[in-house]
Amino acid sequence: MRILALETSAKSVSVAVTENGTLLAQAYQDRGLTHSVTLMPLLDGMLKTAGLTLDDMDIIAVAQGPGSFTGIRIGVSAAKGLAWAKALPCCGVSTLEAMAYGVTDFEGVVVGAMDARRQQVYNALFRTENGRVTRLCADRAVAMELVAEELAAMPEPKLIVGDGAVLLYDFLQKAGIGCRLASPLHRQQSAAGVALAAEHLAAQGLTCSAQELQPVYLRLSQAERERLARGLKITLD
């Protein structure tokens, strides 16, 4: 099973192709440039240099959130278009879960942390053991205090990943909770992790059509919050 994966949920952008757990090709950029400009050239260059085309793919996977609202929309829209063009199934992957698949050599609790602003982090907890990833809680947008309370009751080694890793690490250190940061190479979001997570989801039949693929934001956008604050409806009737 050959999977093409896209990751646009944060500042970095990446694409990757895996086949049965093996990484065949990947391209990564973290220059702060607009994903709508960088994603497709990055994808095109990777496929060309790897001697691959969309016709060689079985599934299109994408990090569907949480993360940057704009970034997620760009990635999901691109995945939908690619899948629709070739009538391929899609696999939407949690950004947080994909990061756990990037550190499966670690034994313990993987703590996904993305800066959600407003004194919160997008977070989920996973146990990694013998190369396997087990989800311990749903993706959520929560205060760091709640994450600290949960981790305090877990005796296993703890590894923090994500673009909010340093933010949460500093908070946990002040709270006296032992943990460590993933190395810079494995800390950020990566399409390779998206592809590996998608392989496990696809093996369970958890794919969807291009039409069914949707972003997952976990909370309302600023524009939606402002409309509600003014007593306006979020969507039109």
Side-chain angles (χ1 to χ4, degrees), residues 7-13 33-40 71 74:
E7 220 305 340
T8 60
S9 66
K11 177 185 172 185
S12 63
V13 56
L33 303 175
T34 304
H35 295 340
S36 59
V37 174
T38 58
L39 176 61
M40 298 313 291
I74 291 170

Side-chain angles (χ1 to χ4, degrees), residues 20-76:
N20 302 324
T22 299
L23 180 63
L24 300 183
Q26 66 176 334
Y28 178 93
Q29 187 178 108
D30 188 8
R31 296 282 294 158
L33 303 175
T34 304
H35 295 340
S36 59
V37 174
T38 58
L39 176 61
M40 298 313 291
L42 198 69
L43 173 59
D44 184 57
M46 180 194 70
L47 292 177
K48 284 182 177 178
T49 56
L52 297 168
T53 70
L54 285 179
D55 291 326
D56 298 315
M57 305 303 154
D58 298 303
I59 294 174
I60 305 296
V62 64
Q64 66 181 150
S68 158
F69 281 41
T70 301
I72 292 168
R73 282 194 292 268
I74 291 170
V76 169

Side-chain angles (χ1 to χ4, degrees), residues 7 13 15 24 35 53 59 97 125 130 156 179-180 182 190 223 234:
E7 220 305 340
V13 56
V15 293
L24 300 183
H35 295 340
T53 70
I59 294 174
E97 186 167 349
L125 306 178
N130 297 323
E156 303 100 321
C179 58
R180 69 182 178 90
S190 167
I234 295 177

